[in-house]
Amino acid sequence: MNRTAAAAGGWASCRFAHYFVVCGLDSETGLEPDDGAGESFEQSPIRRSFKSKVLVHYPENTDRNPFNKDAVNMLCMPRGLSFRTQADILDPQFHSFTLASDEGTRSYGFVHTFYEEVTSPQIITAMQTLYQMHHVEHHSSSSASSPSSSSSSASSPSTSSMDSLASSLEESDAESLAGVSGCLGCAGSFDPARDILYVSKALCLVTPLPFLQASRQFLAQLHQAVTSQTPPPLPLESYIHNILYEVPLPPPGRSLRFHGVQGPIMCQRPGPEELPLGDYPLGEAFSLLGVDNMVKLLTCALLETQVLLYSQDYQHLMTVAEGITTLLFPFQWQHIYLPIISTPLHHLLDAPVPFLMGIQRRDGAERSSLHLPHEANLCFVDIDNHCVEAPEDLPLFPDQTELIQELSEVLLHFGLPPQGGMSTKPTTSTTSSATHLSSLVLEDLMEDRRNGNLGGEELAVLERLQALARRCGGGKISEGRKTLGHVFEEEEEGLMAAKLNIQLREVFAVRFAAMFGRYEEFVIHSTLDLDSWLSNREGTISFDKGSFLSVQPATHLHFLSQFLETSMFSSFVDGKVISRWADREPLQQLFDNRLERERMYDTGDEDSHDHPFRKCSSFFESAQATERRLMKADHTAIHPHLLDMKIGQGRHYPGYFPKLQADVLGQAQNTNKWSSRVTPSRRSEPKRSTVTDHSGVDSEHRQKHTFIRRALRQSKILDPSLQAVTQTHKEFVDELLSECRLKTKRMLMERMGKECVELGQGEASITGLQENTLIHGLCDLLERTWGHGLQIKQGKSALWSHLLHYQAAQGKLEAPAESPGVELSACSGSNCSDQRTFDEGALLLRGSLIQDVRFIQTMSDSLSEVGQARAWIHLALEKKMLSQHLKELLTNQELLRQLYKSHAFLLCEEEREQFLFHLLSLNTVDYLCFTRVFTSVCIPYRVVIIPMKKLSIAMATVNPWVCVSGELGDSGVKQIPKNTQEIFFQCKNLGRLSTLQLGVQENSGLLAKCLIDCVMVYNEITGHIYKFPCGRWLGKGVGDGSLERVLIGQLVSPGTEEDAGRWTGTPPELASPSQSVRTVLGSLGNRSRMHSVEVQEDMREAANNLVKHFHKPEQERGNLTVLLCGEGGLVLALEKFLLHGFKSNRLFQRNVFVWDFVEKSVVSMETADQMGDLHGSTLTKGPPCDSLCHYVSAINASSRNIGKEGKFQLFVCLGIRDRLLSQWLPLLAECSLTARTYEEGALLRDRATVHSLCRILQTLNEFSFNLEAALVKGVDL
């Protein structure tokens, strides 16, 4: 018994159709108003929607695909029942839909909707009563203009009391009723005496695969048999039973012919090495939207934005949705997929997760009438108006221009305009869709030809007849029937549509193969067994994204960096990892096989960086197999036959779909008798079917993996009951929380890349592009979170709208000048410059939530609401205040209840707290996302000069100036007023600060001198602090006599309470000098005792850091100036090298400077050159010696008074930039002055050490050093 049931279940999975369904009006329950349709009761009853029901469905159920009655009814008749009269258009309509089981298996429904005359007197009377009530109320409200009258129309009459409504009308309404007859005949009127009432009925076929054309023909033929005055050859039950139980799925790579009521129907299925079945006409989708819009829409789908389709035609929604998901090969859409949602399901538009959904445009409805809670990441597709509104900052698809050109050529080849907007074939199913031949002789011949029953001569005659019919147009055979030419024309159109589908899909398949042809090289297999991998899935990185991006063309990076973060790509990689232990999924196996074939025929060894765009060349090969299958059937299914029906059953009533006999359709009859005629090839390949699951252990592993990917069950999503809606939004809340946890964890792991590598996790580094991508994903997550359950939509950004509401609620809409701090102003270009000083103890602008919002508002008028919200998120993240700001925003409970529905995420306290906790973890890493993204904004800076504690009084005698430089430019010279140690100014964003020029005026006099400990620079917007250590004198007659210093900055991580001093007007004074100060002020004797090994190690380390800097991707490189001039930089290392073994005959061992030695060496060389004829010289004359003398002279001739240390720093920087430093060092070593100046054991006198150092410096010659302007200003070399 169990074996029989199992066999039946296996056979059911191989059937062409799972269910046959009839939906319509249930005369027993009567009219039930569809309250969820969202229609106004001001409409005439004849124009309102009423609840439909599933009248019958066969079979009752199948094991693997249980019948979802409510979902099928909702999708068959999304707008419920529609009533019409003979004055209305009664053309039948066709649309399709898709259903997903809880296991993720997808099935397709094809619906033929037609109008059938209402014969029930109760329904006719109820409609008449409703119309009379509507007329009375409408007449009363228009005559009295009473607002209260409309309230009575809002309540719908109950079904049980429908018959007594007419008698309950008051006598005062009699006159109004008398006027009803005067309105009869107009739109929406109904009078049983003169009008015939029709109601919609739907015939539906549910199939496991998208056999669109075959199912459409079968249903159309079924309806044609109903409307025909002549009864069909067999009862309708025979045809329905045949397609449900006796027509199998065509085997992969084969075609199948089966029989409808009026004639044969063909379907085919691609082979294992062909693209999966895609029967929806891509040509129609491209015609509806155009090539540009379709590529834009596909980009949105690939990046998993929220996609909302909008059209008056249900089939257009399905055509575009299926077209897009078909083009995703080899990837699959992982989120909510509902191309058709009815009005009761419009709450799903609140979904804070990626989705692809479609809603119907009501008659006369405008785009602005839609209530969309959040649009920051929404792609809105208005199919009827050929418009696609994509999210902001959508990256271009790789090689988009070339791709559009190639697609346009394909469409033009098939006679379709690339710009789209053309009127496509209507989706009405008329009698012309049936492939019926009226001539009995020709019909028999065609039937025999399709069944393969014609001999060679007969077949040749028929082919000549067909060719003649094509040339002559066929000629009319009989009145009201198709011509032979029309039949051939339809077959030709179907074949051309199939070819177009294949060619368009191949274009995209080739593009994905080119982009991901080497993806397997970057898959990381980190575990030994599947269970370990599944249990640690979230903590395991399965793809080396950084390395993959590093070999991609630069123009592709913006798109690819975002695509690699999608669930679609993660699922694809997961499938590859799981394939080590289980069979690969069919789509992935097909893609891998195509890549393998591509590599076999690809003899070139081209680099991905400059790989040219390559057109698809497999058009004709792919189309030939499909054409062969469609031209000649490989298999023919069993013909419909008489069933064991009782006498009198199956009678034909023209115009009325009969009541089907459940006893013959509930299950297969005579299974053994008829299944024996099924061709063996149709039953022998169930394992190759894409709808069957793997068995055994593989199936269990697949189910675990599938459960991970699909958390939301479509059966629950399609349930409009209040309990199901509440549960659905609870699942949305859980998914948001999970996504937040995963995103923050990913951001932390990527940001702390080095630590992750040491632990065996993650990539070695993260590029700036990847970081921007992760932050973009965080912005999208916050927008979707704030859009969930929003009551009133105001603007495209839900988060920014909430911030503005909070700002208004705080009552601080006045000018920011009232708050302590400075007034911020927007600036453009480099003209923004404002400076002011502060009284002692004046409070500076501290970045509160409201002040940050105000600053974003002053940034630029060109920022949209979405852009402003993203700017605010970037700023809060950089300040490490994101979690704190959002927590403050959510403290206003009254505002939250006013803005959000009860199921909103922000009203779930426990989940909200966990959400904020995950965001708080981002404070453990540093971001410069605002500084580096919003480069044109005006930033206020504060510069504080901190002198040595004991000599701070000397600041009163100087009049210093500063010039701050960063990655994006410099501030220009800013003069600090006398008797102050700080200055405040605003200028265009400088980026991350790198250098600071500090100086005093030339005419300041000998008393203008001070010992500077450091200079602190505060970014008053982002809260970043930069420290520029100095530890040297500034002024004439002291130290090296420098009037200007070039200081190298370092970013100081902002503290909490410990850093409170930075917000006061009094700068914090350091109690002791820094390590650099002690080094500079150290005695010469200490320097002479430096170990040679340490000096050489410092030199190698400095050069090695520079080499690593240039081998990193450009987005990842740090500050070159720091590596040259900062602590541990090349300048300091070379200075230590030249100071090693330096002699001193001075009594008090005052400081000596390397620049003195360099200057004297140049003088010695020039003197030796002039007197070389008398004394001779060991120096080699030539360009190196000339360049050394020239550079030293130019540095000394500079107008800048940067002192001896500054000159030596400039000397090293220019030498390394111009690749001369490695040539200058031997000249200094061989100079005659060296022996007198250095001790015997000095490194500079050791030829082997000098030669080794020169080799180290020569390795730097292959790199291009771009020095900051602050380092080389005033020297023209």
Side-chain angles (χ1 to χ4, degrees):
M1 187 68 182
N2 292 336
R3 184 180 304 174
T4 305
W11 169 240
S13 64
C14 297
R15 296 198 308 241
F16 177 87
H18 286 159
Y19 294 100
F20 178 80
V21 187
V22 180
C23 297
L25 171 64
D26 188 351
S27 300
E28 296 180 2
T29 58
L31 293 182
E32 295 184 55
D34 193 353
D35 299 330
E39 295 176 327
S40 172
F41 281 93
E42 295 180 0
Q43 285 184 314
S44 170
I46 203 75
R47 295 289 181 257
R48 296 178 196 166
S49 297
F50 296 86
K51 289 184 179 179
S52 62
K53 291 189 176 181
V54 173
L55 303 181
V56 292
H57 71 276
Y58 302 106
E60 188 66 26
N61 233 327
T62 61
D63 293 336
R64 297 191 179 184
N65 295 278
F67 187 75
N68 189 335
K69 189 173 184 179
D70 294 333
V72 171
N73 177 49
M74 187 183 303
L75 293 171
C76 281
M77 309 190 84
R79 293 194 65 175
L81 295 172
S82 297
F83 285 90
R84 296 287 186 269
T85 65
Q86 76 283 355
D88 299 311
I89 299 175
L90 300 177
D91 292 337
Q93 300 288 325
F94 175 83
H95 78 273
S96 56
F97 61 86
T98 179
L99 272 174
S101 67
D102 290 345
E103 290 75 25
T105 306
R106 186 181 296 181
S107 56
Y108 294 83
F110 304 96
V111 185
H112 182 98
T113 305
F114 62 97
Y115 286 92
E116 190 176 69
E117 183 179 345
V118 177
T119 57
S120 170
Q122 293 85 357
I123 299 298
I124 296 175
T125 302
M127 181 59 68
Q128 180 186 15
T129 303
L130 283 174
Y131 178 72
Q132 289 174 348
M133 290 179 60
H134 166 75
H135 180 80
V136 169
E137 293 174 357
H138 182 69
H139 177 77
S140 301
S141 60
S142 60
S143 60
S145 300
S146 173
S148 61
S149 62
S150 60
S151 62
S152 62
S153 64
S155 59
S156 57
S158 117
T159 306
S160 59
S161 59
M162 192 72 73
D163 296 335
S164 62
L165 284 174
S167 60
S168 66
L169 294 173
E170 298 180 2
E171 296 180 0
S172 59
D173 294 330
E175 295 182 2
S176 299
L177 284 174
V180 171
S181 58
C183 186
L184 295 177
C186 61
S189 63
F190 174 66
D191 179 15
R194 55 186 299 177
D195 293 326
I196 302 175
L197 187 63
Y198 294 89
V199 67
S200 56
K201 178 173 282 190
L203 308 179
C204 174
L205 199 63
V206 179
T207 65
L209 293 178
F211 293 115
L212 172 69
Q213 304 301 336
S215 301
R216 185 171 184 169
Q217 291 181 33
F218 177 83
L219 294 174
Q221 291 187 21
L222 204 63
H223 176 237
Q224 184 183 358
V226 172
T227 58
S228 173
Q229 296 298 320
T230 304
L234 297 171
L236 295 186
E237 285 85 349
S238 295
Y239 301 98
I240 297 172
H241 181 276
N242 176 253
I243 200 168
L244 284 179
Y245 302 110
E246 298 168 343
V247 177
L249 283 175
R254 301 298 181 92
S255 57
L256 173 73
R257 189 178 300 277
F258 64 93
H259 292 267
V261 182
Q262 305 293 338
I265 299 171
M266 174 79 81
C267 66
Q268 62 90 26
R269 189 171 168 193
E273 297 303 319
E274 299 177 60
L275 291 176
L277 178 64
D279 212 17
Y280 283 82
L282 283 174
E284 182 178 347
F286 276 87
S287 298
L288 289 169
L289 291 176
V291 176
D292 291 11
N293 283 332
M294 280 293 287
V295 172
K296 186 189 300 184
L297 175 55
L298 181 69
T299 305
C300 292
L302 285 166
L303 299 183
E304 295 185 341
T305 67
Q306 295 175 320
V307 178
L308 182 61
L309 309 177
Y310 191 49
S311 175
Q312 198 168 8
D313 192 324
Y314 287 121
Q315 186 57 16
H316 285 173
L317 298 174
M318 194 68 185
T319 298
V320 173
E322 280 295 305
I324 287 298
T325 53
T326 299
L327 295 176
L328 293 178
F329 171 84
F331 309 104
Q332 300 180 67
W333 182 259
Q334 299 293 317
H335 303 280
I336 298 177
Y337 181 70
L338 294 173
I340 298 175
I341 59 172
S342 58
T343 304
L345 296 179
H346 280 196
H347 69 90
L348 292 176
L349 298 177
D350 276 350
V353 295
F355 59 70
L356 200 165
M357 295 192 290
I359 58 176
Q360 188 195 36
R361 177 200 297 272
R362 298 294 179 126
D363 297 336
E366 297 295 333
R367 161 77 167 88
S368 57
S369 64
L370 287 176
H371 174 68
L372 304 177
H374 41 88
E375 300 183 45
N377 198 40
L378 177 70
C379 176
F380 184 80
V381 185
D382 190 342
I383 299 176
D384 299 338
N385 292 319
H386 327 296
C387 174
V388 174
E389 300 175 16
E392 294 182 16
D393 302 326
L394 182 73
L396 294 178
F397 192 86
D399 296 317
Q400 178 165 310
T401 304
E402 294 83 356
L403 175 65
I404 290 176
Q405 178 64 31
E406 183 177 6
L407 293 171
S408 300
E409 292 174 1
V410 172
L411 292 173
L412 288 172
H413 178 72
F414 284 85
L416 297 176
Q419 66 273 16
M422 66 173 292
S423 58
T424 56
K425 288 188 176 182
T427 58
T428 56
S429 300
T430 60
T431 55
S432 62
S433 62
T435 56
H436 179 71
L437 301 175
S438 53
S439 169
L440 294 179
V441 177
L442 287 177
E443 186 178 47
D444 293 340
L445 285 174
M446 293 292 292
E447 180 75 10
D448 289 338
R449 178 216 176 192
R450 288 168 181 139
N451 292 334
N453 296 331
L454 289 181
E457 296 181 1
E458 296 169 318
L459 188 59
V461 172
L462 181 58
E463 289 176 350
R464 287 197 297 271
L465 181 59
Q466 291 174 339
L468 179 63
R470 285 193 182 95
R471 291 194 298 271
C472 302
K476 202 163 190 179
I477 298 177
S478 64
E479 190 67 29
R481 299 295 183 98
K482 278 189 178 178
T483 64
L484 184 60
H486 289 162
V487 174
F488 293 140
E489 184 179 348
E490 284 186 356
E491 291 182 354
E492 188 70 20
E493 287 178 357
L495 179 60
M496 295 303 288
K499 287 183 176 180
L500 176 58
N501 268 18
I502 291 174
Q503 293 200 18
L504 291 173
R505 295 175 67 190
E506 283 289 348
V507 169
F508 286 97
V510 169
R511 289 305 310 131
F512 286 125
M515 285 190 283
F516 298 98
R518 297 173 53 191
Y519 86 96
E520 295 172 285
E521 301 174 15
F522 304 95
V523 176
I524 301 173
H525 300 284
S526 56
T527 55
L528 298 177
D529 60 279
L530 180 57
D531 290 333
S532 299
W533 183 85
L534 288 173
S535 59
N536 299 303
R537 172 66 193 93
E538 294 181 359
T540 304
I541 295 180
S542 303
F543 193 77
D544 189 351
K545 299 175 183 177
S547 300
F548 177 80
L549 292 174
S550 66
V551 299
Q552 301 303 316
T555 54
H556 297 184
L557 293 181
H558 193 191
F559 170 83
L560 288 176
S561 63
Q562 294 189 29
F563 179 69
L564 296 188
E565 299 298 326
T566 60
S567 301
M568 188 183 305
F569 183 76
S570 297
S571 175
F572 179 76
V573 173
D574 289 350
K576 186 65 179 179
V577 174
I578 290 180
S579 66
R580 297 175 61 195
W581 305 287
D583 292 340
R584 283 179 292 180
E585 292 186 351
L587 290 182
Q588 188 147 35
Q589 183 171 357
L590 173 59
F591 185 67
D592 290 346
N593 293 343
R594 291 169 70 98
L595 293 182
E596 189 65 30
R597 290 198 304 270
E598 188 76 17
R599 284 191 285 265
M600 290 176 57
Y601 295 110
D602 189 8
T603 57
D605 188 17
E606 297 154 319
D607 190 4
S608 298
H609 280 284
D610 49 346
H611 187 70
F613 178 84
R614 183 168 54 186
K615 287 188 176 182
C616 175
S617 58
S618 56
F619 284 158
F620 300 103
E621 301 174 7
S622 304
Q624 279 179 351
T626 302
E627 183 176 5
R628 178 191 59 80
R629 289 193 294 267
L630 289 177
M631 292 301 294
K632 183 178 180 181
D634 298 307
H635 303 280
T636 301
I638 299 173
H639 286 245
H641 53 87
L642 280 174
L643 302 175
D644 297 334
M645 300 175 63
K646 299 176 182 178
I647 297 177
Q649 290 182 341
R651 289 186 177 179
H652 176 66
Y653 300 96
Y656 297 94
F657 193 83
K659 183 177 180 180
L660 300 175
Q661 303 303 313
D663 53 343
V664 297
L665 293 179
Q667 57 185 355
Q669 289 193 344
N670 300 328
T671 303
N672 296 332
K673 172 183 176 182
W674 294 104
S675 62
S676 61
R677 294 178 54 184
V678 178
T679 307
S681 63
R682 280 176 249 149
R683 296 188 298 173
S684 60
E685 302 179 81
K687 292 183 180 180
R688 297 173 65 182
S689 170
T690 59
V691 298
T692 58
D693 295 328
H694 297 282
S695 60
V697 179
D698 290 353
S699 178
E700 294 180 3
H701 290 160
R702 289 281 174 195
Q703 288 174 2
K704 291 182 182 178
H705 180 48
T706 303
F707 179 77
I708 292 174
R709 291 185 296 170
R710 294 183 175 88
L712 297 174
R713 307 292 188 179
Q714 195 181 56
S715 59
K716 295 181 180 179
I717 292 178
L718 292 176
D719 189 349
S721 65
L722 180 60
Q723 182 180 0
V725 170
T726 303
Q727 179 61 29
T728 296
H729 285 283
K730 180 65 173 65
E731 293 185 10
F732 286 151
V733 168
D734 294 339
E735 188 163 340
L736 272 179
L737 185 59
S738 174
E739 185 179 355
C740 179
R741 177 172 54 83
L742 294 177
K743 279 190 181 296
T744 52
K745 183 177 181 180
R746 169 101 166 99
M747 292 175 70
L748 290 173
M749 291 178 65
E750 290 288 5
R751 194 71 184 122
M752 299 185 293
K754 293 181 180 179
E755 292 81 356
C756 292
V757 169
E758 293 173 0
L759 296 174
Q761 302 171 348
E763 301 90 334
S765 59
I766 176 174
T767 64
L769 179 66
Q770 284 179 281
E771 180 177 306
N772 290 339
T773 301
L774 293 174
I775 296 174
H776 181 275
L778 178 65
C779 294
D780 170 45
L781 171 64
L782 291 176
E783 284 289 0
R784 289 187 278 113
T785 302
W786 256 252
H788 181 229
L790 193 62
Q791 290 266 28
I792 306 171
K793 176 212 164 192
Q794 295 181 358
K796 286 195 171 184
S797 171
L799 176 59
W800 187 249
S801 175
H802 193 175
L803 287 169
L804 295 182
H805 277 99
Y806 180 79
Q807 183 186 39
Q810 293 298 311
K812 295 184 178 180
L813 295 176
E814 298 81 14
E818 293 187 6
S819 61
V822 298
E823 181 176 357
L824 301 178
S825 59
C827 65
S828 59
S830 58
N831 298 326
C832 174
S833 178
D834 178 31
Q835 87 183 46
R836 55 175 291 189
T837 59
F838 293 83
D839 297 332
E840 185 71 18
L843 290 176
L844 295 181
L845 178 65
R846 192 179 183 98
S848 70
L849 169 61
I850 297 298
Q851 288 164 338
D852 284 351
V853 171
R854 288 173 180 167
F855 174 74
I856 299 299
Q857 290 172 321
T858 64
M859 280 176 52
S860 174
D861 295 335
S862 61
L863 277 179
S864 65
E865 294 174 351
V866 176
Q868 288 177 311
R870 290 178 180 173
W872 184 86
I873 295 171
H874 280 72
L875 177 57
L877 186 61
E878 183 167 326
K879 294 174 64 175
K880 301 187 177 182
M881 298 282 287
L882 181 59
S883 179
Q884 182 177 334
H885 280 352
L886 294 178
K887 186 175 183 178
E888 179 184 346
L889 181 64
L890 298 175
T891 54
N892 192 331
Q893 294 293 323
E894 182 180 352
L895 179 60
L896 281 178
R897 288 190 292 269
Q898 177 185 345
L899 294 178
Y900 289 93
K901 303 171 185 175
S902 59
H903 63 253
F905 179 90
L906 298 182
L907 292 179
C908 301
E909 294 186 10
E910 183 178 347
E911 288 81 1
R912 187 178 65 199
E913 290 300 320
Q914 294 182 49
F915 189 89
L916 294 175
F917 176 78
H918 292 312
L919 294 179
L920 183 63
S921 65
L922 297 177
N923 290 359
T924 58
V925 293
D926 297 323
Y927 287 99
L928 290 174
C929 49
F930 181 84
T931 300
R932 287 176 170 165
V933 171
F934 299 93
T935 56
S936 61
V937 66
C938 185
I939 299 290
Y941 294 94
R942 183 165 65 104
V943 180
V944 180
I945 300 176
I946 303 177
M948 294 298 290
K949 185 174 183 180
K950 295 181 180 180
L951 302 173
S952 60
I953 193 171
M955 286 296 299
T957 63
V958 298
N959 187 20
W961 57 265
V962 294
C963 178
V964 184
S965 301
E967 298 171 328
L968 305 176
D970 64 72
S971 65
V973 174
K974 303 294 181 183
Q975 188 70 47
I976 298 180
K978 287 185 178 181
N979 301 321
T980 60
Q981 298 173 216
E982 66 177 343
I983 183 176
F984 177 91
F985 61 87
Q986 296 186 70
C987 68
K988 187 178 177 181
N989 184 8
L990 301 178
R992 179 166 184 159
L993 303 186
S994 55
T995 60
L996 180 141
Q997 301 171 60
L998 174 65
V1000 296
Q1001 299 297 334
E1002 187 75 29
N1003 56 358
S1004 298
L1006 294 176
L1007 295 179
K1009 61 185 69 174
C1010 61
L1011 183 58
I1012 305 297
D1013 182 19
C1014 65
V1015 180
M1016 307 294 292
V1017 179
Y1018 304 105
N1019 184 321
E1020 300 295 347
I1021 296 302
T1022 65
H1024 284 137
I1025 310 170
Y1026 295 88
K1027 181 179 180 180
F1028 295 84
C1030 181
R1032 287 167 286 181
W1033 284 94
L1034 189 67
K1036 292 181 179 180
V1038 64
D1040 61 351
S1042 173
L1043 297 181
E1044 178 184 341
R1045 299 283 184 192
V1046 178
L1047 307 180
I1048 310 303
Q1050 57 188 16
L1051 179 62
V1052 181
S1053 297
T1056 53
E1057 298 300 328
E1058 300 174 359
D1059 197 38
R1062 57 169 286 218
W1063 300 111
T1064 65
T1066 304
E1069 296 180 336
L1070 300 182
S1072 60
S1074 62
Q1075 181 64 34
S1076 62
V1077 175
R1078 290 198 297 269
T1079 301
V1080 173
L1081 298 181
S1083 65
L1084 185 62
N1086 291 335
R1087 288 179 175 179
S1088 64
R1089 291 196 297 269
M1090 288 186 299
H1091 294 292
S1092 60
V1093 176
E1094 295 178 1
V1095 173
Q1096 294 179 71
E1097 182 63 30
D1098 290 345
M1099 195 68 209
R1100 284 192 292 267
E1101 184 67 21
N1104 189 41
N1105 288 337
L1106 288 169
V1107 172
K1108 290 191 293 185
H1109 169 85
F1110 285 103
H1111 276 107
K1112 293 177 182 178
E1114 187 173 354
Q1115 304 95 333
E1116 187 186 340
R1117 295 174 184 173
N1119 191 343
L1120 179 61
T1121 304
V1122 173
L1123 297 179
L1124 287 174
C1125 309
E1127 290 285 341
L1130 183 65
V1131 173
L1132 187 59
L1134 192 57
E1135 183 182 8
K1136 291 180 181 179
F1137 182 90
L1138 293 177
L1139 284 174
H1140 184 266
F1142 201 88
K1143 292 180 180 179
S1144 175
N1145 296 322
R1146 299 180 182 180
L1147 181 62
F1148 298 104
Q1149 295 188 353
R1150 294 179 59 192
N1151 289 335
V1152 294
F1153 300 97
V1154 177
W1155 184 250
D1156 291 332
F1157 166 71
V1158 174
E1159 279 186 310
K1160 292 177 181 179
S1161 298
V1162 169
V1163 171
S1164 175
M1165 293 176 194
E1166 292 175 343
T1167 304
D1169 187 24
Q1170 294 173 3
M1171 308 200 45
D1173 295 337
L1174 298 176
H1175 303 286
S1177 175
T1178 59
L1179 291 174
T1180 304
K1181 306 297 186 297
C1185 184
D1186 295 339
S1187 64
L1188 175 61
C1189 298
H1190 175 62
Y1191 273 68
V1192 171
S1193 300
I1195 292 173
N1196 280 328
S1198 172
S1199 59
R1200 299 173 65 189
N1201 192 340
I1202 56 178
K1204 297 177 181 180
E1205 291 183 351
K1207 290 179 180 179
F1208 178 74
Q1209 177 177 284
L1210 181 58
F1211 171 78
V1212 176
C1213 290
L1214 291 175
I1216 201 71
R1217 182 195 70 178
D1218 298 335
R1219 301 176 176 85
L1220 296 171
L1221 193 59
S1222 60
Q1223 303 175 23
W1224 291 344
L1225 198 60
L1227 297 177
L1228 295 176
E1230 296 172 10
C1231 180
S1232 59
L1233 181 64
T1234 304
R1236 300 193 302 269
T1237 308
Y1238 286 87
E1239 298 174 353
E1240 184 68 29
L1243 291 175
L1244 191 60
R1245 295 185 64 177
D1246 186 347
R1247 289 181 176 270
T1249 303
V1250 173
H1251 179 68
S1252 175
L1253 178 58
C1254 290
R1255 291 179 58 186
I1256 292 175
L1257 294 176
Q1258 285 173 357
T1259 61
L1260 303 177
N1261 291 345
E1262 61 180 286
F1263 308 118
S1264 177
F1265 287 80
N1266 297 317
L1267 302 178
E1268 287 191 33
L1271 295 177
V1272 297
K1273 186 168 63 175
V1275 179
D1276 187 13
L1277 286 172

